[in-house]
């Protein structure tokens, strides 16, 4: 059960401290909005000069109101903020919205002030949004405490940017989307993004949660809350392209960026990650109706070959499949269309829509009914017949079998209603791209729950959001294991021992410091041998690894040469693994300051950084998810066997990923842990090298 935010979203009374008649002040905008629903709850305006504000008597302070106030909005200069908070708590406020800026965003001194204020609020049992925020709105309770209006609807918008929130409003409006709530996150001194996601998940009128965040705070907790929300969460964030803070003492550290971490957290949690406000509106429109495809097989329907080809390319680029229709489906379509129509997929009406707009609805209905199709994308001219002045002045102004432009327009409206009926009868998604998205027929589709987009790429992106079968599998963030006793030996053999105890297999090995120890090690297990110089960064690059030494004499010779050249304090003598039919992988874990341990798995060996074929997930990684990470690699064909090579044991590799990431997650003192290479063969896996970097 999350925090009780009822006083924040449905208070019994409200006071605006800093209310003003000056339109240039934020206290004016908030007070004006607060007075939109005076009958819902008492609204008190407070201005230290008293008098009237917006035609109402203003109290000079909260104490002058003479009764408790449930929620207080504070929009005063920074110097008076602490006093206003203390006054709010003294008058019984259970919730405070801090508009005032000048705290953590200004530096250490501001942060200290902010922390002290938040501590006082929590000690009083109240909650604080902000400071440095732009207010809140809850359309479901008629609570209007932000400077702008938000059209009512089912989206809870949690944003660190006011202007982006306004843009999202504008982009959502054509799709008929509105907002249940808006919360400006501000500095999150007390109420956090996680608190708000959890509360929005419990809020029945909210159907989807839209987030713009630059500072996640506890990113892992955000991912956990989003995974548990039970409703769509769509995230827009900035700054993902820069490299995260890291020690760069391993491949894992060198390859992991902020973008990788955020994307992995979103994939694990089932969050739709978007790059722009436009894409966010597209995804929200797609998810609003609740339809989900169970597979990636998409049918493209068009009345023009060009639009069909472009839409098919866009769908495939977005990760969908546009398969050729089977004989039964093609025969069915031939009974609906004329001879020159293409029925393979894309399905091209080839001008029949100009003669009979109902051909659109008939074709879409047949495609939605196909057992071999999971979703349908209609693209092109549809909408042009009912658009003002006959669309582009073409087909709708010509006479045809429907009796001219007016008849074509009427027919198009009828077929729009027909498509709504077809879509309502199935859970399969139907998405439309139209050159005329504002045409009456397209508005009919939108009103019927069918998303319509002006851009082909938007329609394809919408379908990917509506496709439930994802390569990453079911959403969920694995809980961190209990902390293990701190690691005492972070050297190479200490890490080997730690991972071996967890069930990760290694070849036989012994650490030595002189030639006598080397000869003793050679007596413990037969060759061929591997010799490694320890405590070197990237041993292979430094010439600190000798492979395939066939016998004792070759081992001794390699040791003498390496010791003379490198002078390492110690070395490792190991049994040489048989690389025949094997594939080298890398498995690493990097501890992110916001999201905790993040795992990486991919193609390993000495070319790891050059190939950069890796995938990420929050650690620990269950074996089933680890297997999906591996099979989703660009080079996954190597694991299945190519050019006569046998398939390797991916299940064993996935089990090793689970064990390695579990160890790293259980040791918070480990900043980076890496096994590279992890040799996976047809008969199992062997970890051939490992290293750790302590925090």
């Amino acid at each position: 059960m999350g925090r009780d935010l009822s006083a924040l979203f449905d208070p019994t009374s409200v006071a605006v401290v800093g209310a003003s008649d000056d339109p240039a002040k934020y206290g004016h905008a908030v007070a004006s909005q607060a007075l939109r629903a005076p009958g819902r709850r008492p609204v008190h305006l407070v201005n230290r000069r008293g008098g009237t504000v917006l035609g109402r008597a203003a109290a000079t302070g909260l104490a002058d109101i003479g009764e408790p106030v449930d929620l207080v909005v504070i929009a005063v200069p920074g110097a008076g903020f602490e006093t206003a908070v203390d006054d709010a708590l003294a008058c019984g406020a259970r919730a405070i919205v801090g508009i005032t800026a000048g705290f953590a965003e200004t530096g250490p001194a501001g942060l200290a002030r902010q922390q002290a204020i938040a501590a006082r609020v929590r000690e009083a049992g109240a909650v604080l949004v902000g400071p440095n925020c732009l207010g809140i709105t809850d359309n479901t309770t008629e609570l209007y405490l932000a400077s702008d209006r938000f059209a009512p609807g089912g989206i809870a918008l949690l944003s660190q940017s006011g202007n982006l929130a306004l843009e999202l409003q504008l982009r959502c409006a054509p799709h008929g989307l509105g907002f249940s709530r808006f919360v400006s996150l501000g500095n999150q001194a007390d109420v956090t993004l996680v608190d708000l996601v959890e509360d929005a998940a419990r809020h029945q009128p909210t159907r989807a949660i839209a987030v713009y965040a630059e500072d996640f705070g506890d990113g892992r907790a955000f991912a956990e809350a989003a995974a548990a929300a039970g409703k769509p969460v769509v995230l827009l964030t900035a700054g993902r392209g820069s490299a995260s803070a890291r020690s760069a003492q391993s491949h894992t550290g060198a390859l992991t960026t902020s973008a990788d971490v955020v994307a992995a957290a979103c994939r694990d949690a089932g969050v739709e990650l978007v790059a722009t406000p436009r894409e966010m509106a597209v995804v929200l429109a797609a998810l609003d109706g609740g339809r989900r495809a169970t597979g990636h097989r998409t049918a493209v329907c068009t009345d023009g070959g060009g639009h069909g080809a472009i839409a098919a390319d866009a769908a495939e680029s977005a990760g969908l499949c546009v398969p050729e229709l089977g004989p039964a489906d093609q025969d069915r379509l031939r009974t609906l269309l004329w001879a020159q129509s293409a029925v393979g997929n894309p399905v091209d009406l080839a001008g029949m829509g100009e003669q009979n707009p109902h051909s659109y609805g008939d074709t879409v209905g047949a495609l939605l009914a196909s057992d071999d199709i999971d979703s349908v994308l209609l693209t092109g001219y549809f909408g042009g017949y009912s658009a003002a002045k006959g669309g582009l002045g073409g087909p709708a102004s010509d006479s045809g079998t429907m009796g001219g432009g007016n008849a074509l327009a009427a027919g198009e409206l009828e077929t729009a209603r027909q498509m709504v009926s077809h879509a309502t009868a199935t859970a399969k998604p139907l998405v439309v791209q139209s050159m005329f998205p504002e045409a009456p027929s397209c508005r009919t589709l939108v009103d019927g729950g069918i998303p319509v987009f002006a851009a082909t790429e938007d329609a394809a992106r919408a379908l990917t959001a509506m496709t439930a079968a994802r390569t990453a599998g079911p959403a969920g963030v694995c809980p961190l294991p209990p902390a293990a006793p701190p690691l005492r030996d972070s050297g190479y053999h200490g890490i080997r021992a730690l991972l071996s105890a967890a069930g990760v297999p290694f070849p036989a090995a012994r650490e030595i410091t002189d030639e006598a120890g080397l000869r003793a090690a050679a007596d413990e297990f037969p060759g061929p041998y591997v010799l490694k110089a320890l405590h070197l960064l990237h041993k292979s690059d430094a010439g600190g690894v000798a492979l395939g030494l066939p016998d004792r004499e070759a081992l001794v010779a390699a040791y003498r040469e390496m010791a003379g050249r490198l002078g390492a304090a110690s070395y490792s003598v190991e049994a040489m693994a048989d690389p025949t039919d094997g594939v080298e992988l890398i498995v690493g874990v990097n501890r992110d300051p916001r999201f905790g341990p993040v795992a990486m798995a991919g193609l390993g060996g000495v070319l790891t950084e050059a190939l950069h074929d890796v995938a990420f997930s929050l650690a620990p990684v269950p074996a089933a998810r680890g297997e999906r990470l591996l099979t989703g690699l660009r080079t996954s064909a190597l694991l299945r066997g190519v050019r006569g090579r046998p398939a390797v044991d991916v299940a064993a590799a996935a089990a090793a990923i689970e064990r390695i990431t579990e160890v790293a997650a259980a040791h918070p003192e480990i900043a980076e842990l890496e096994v590279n290479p992890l040799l996976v063969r047809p008969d199992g896996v062997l970890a051939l090298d490992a290293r750790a970097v302590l925090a």
Side-chain angles (χ1 to χ4, degrees), residues 177-534:
L177 299 176
F179 300 86
S180 57
R181 291 174 171 174
F182 161 70
V183 182
S184 172
L185 299 176
N187 291 359
Q188 303 183 66
D190 177 44
V191 174
T192 66
L193 172 61
V194 172
D195 296 328
L196 293 166
V197 169
E198 291 176 341
D199 196 75
R202 296 190 296 268
H203 187 230
Q204 187 171 356
T206 293
R207 299 192 301 272
I209 303 168
V211 177
Y212 172 71
E214 298 163 5
D215 176 14
F216 292 94
D218 188 339
R220 192 180 189 96
F222 164 73
E224 292 170 345
K231 55 187 67 173
V233 179
V234 185
L235 171 67
L236 172 63
T237 185
R240 291 185 289 125
S242 61
S244 62
R246 58 179 183 260
S247 63
Q249 294 189 47
S250 68
H251 293 291
T252 302
L255 289 173
T256 305
T257 69
S258 295
D260 297 323
V261 174
V262 174
C266 288
R267 185 182 58 249
D268 290 354
V271 171
E272 284 286 345
L273 179 62
V274 298
T276 64
R278 167 180 154 180
E279 186 184 359
M280 175 173 269
V282 166
V283 171
L284 288 168
L287 299 176
D288 188 60
R291 290 191 179 89
R292 300 292 184 271
T294 57
H296 291 76
R297 302 168 302 175
T298 298
V300 173
C301 177
T302 181
D303 197 19
H307 271 105
I310 294 297
D313 284 348
E316 290 182 341
S317 295
L320 301 169
C321 173
V322 185
E324 183 175 5
L325 297 176
D329 286 330
Q330 294 196 29
D331 289 344
R332 169 64 176 154
L333 290 171
R334 288 190 184 98
T335 67
L336 302 173
L337 303 174
W338 56 19
Q340 60 264 44
S341 299
V343 295
N345 196 18
V347 177
D348 183 3
L349 277 58
M352 189 174 178
E354 299 175 15
Q355 301 291 317
N356 178 11
H358 290 294
S359 59
Y360 284 103
D362 295 338
T363 304
V364 165
L367 293 172
L368 287 172
S370 170
D371 292 335
D372 297 325
I373 290 298
D374 303 306
S375 60
V376 176
L377 195 165
L378 173 63
T379 180
Y381 193 83
F382 187 85
Y385 307 115
S386 64
K389 298 182 180 179
L392 295 176
S397 63
D398 299 331
S399 61
T401 58
M402 294 293 292
N406 289 338
L408 283 171
E412 187 178 72
L413 282 169
E414 291 175 11
T415 203
R417 290 189 285 268
Q418 180 188 1
M419 281 192 274
V420 170
S421 178
H422 287 315
T424 303
T426 177
K428 295 180 182 179
L430 167 63
V431 169
V432 176
Q433 180 273 326
S434 172
M435 294 184 282
F436 311 96
E438 297 301 323
S441 55
C442 289
R443 302 316 304 166
T444 298
L445 295 176
V446 171
D447 292 342
I450 298 172
V452 177
F453 304 97
T456 306
E457 61 271 26
D458 289 347
R461 176 65 180 94
L463 273 185
T464 63
M466 300 165 82
T467 300
R470 314 303 290 271
T471 56
V477 177
C478 287
L480 293 174
L487 186 63
R488 294 183 177 179
D489 182 2
S490 62
Y492 172 62
H493 278 267
I495 297 301
R496 279 180 54 116
L498 179 69
L499 292 172
S500 295
V504 180
F506 283 82
R510 178 173 171 179
E511 184 172 359
I512 60 99
T513 56
D514 54 27
E515 189 168 319
L518 180 87
R519 294 178 181 277
D523 291 336
E524 293 183 11
F525 43 85
Y529 301 100
V530 174
L531 180 66
K532 299 177 183 177
L534 300 183

Side-chain angles (χ1 to χ4, degrees), residues 24-92:
K25 294 184 177 179
Y26 206 84
H28 173 83
V30 175
S32 299
Q33 290 294 317
L35 294 175
R36 283 173 51 200
R40 178 67 186 243
R41 58 182 63 83
V43 176
H44 307 283
L45 304 184
V46 179
N47 184 293
R48 61 186 177 86
R49 294 186 179 89
T52 62
V53 174
L54 298 172
R56 294 172 53 119
T60 57
L62 287 169
D64 294 336
I65 294 174
E67 60 184 64
V69 179
D70 211 18
L71 184 152
V72 176
V73 182
I74 301 177
V76 300
F81 187 76
E82 284 96 332
T83 299
V85 168
D86 290 339
D87 291 346
L89 298 176
C91 77

Side-chain angles (χ1 to χ4, degrees), residues 101-129:
F103 295 93
E105 74 276 12
T106 66
L111 174 61
R113 287 179 64 205
Q114 177 178 297
Q115 291 173 334
I117 293 167
R120 294 207 295 274
V121 170
R122 285 193 292 268
E123 185 178 355
V127 298
L128 166 68
V129 170

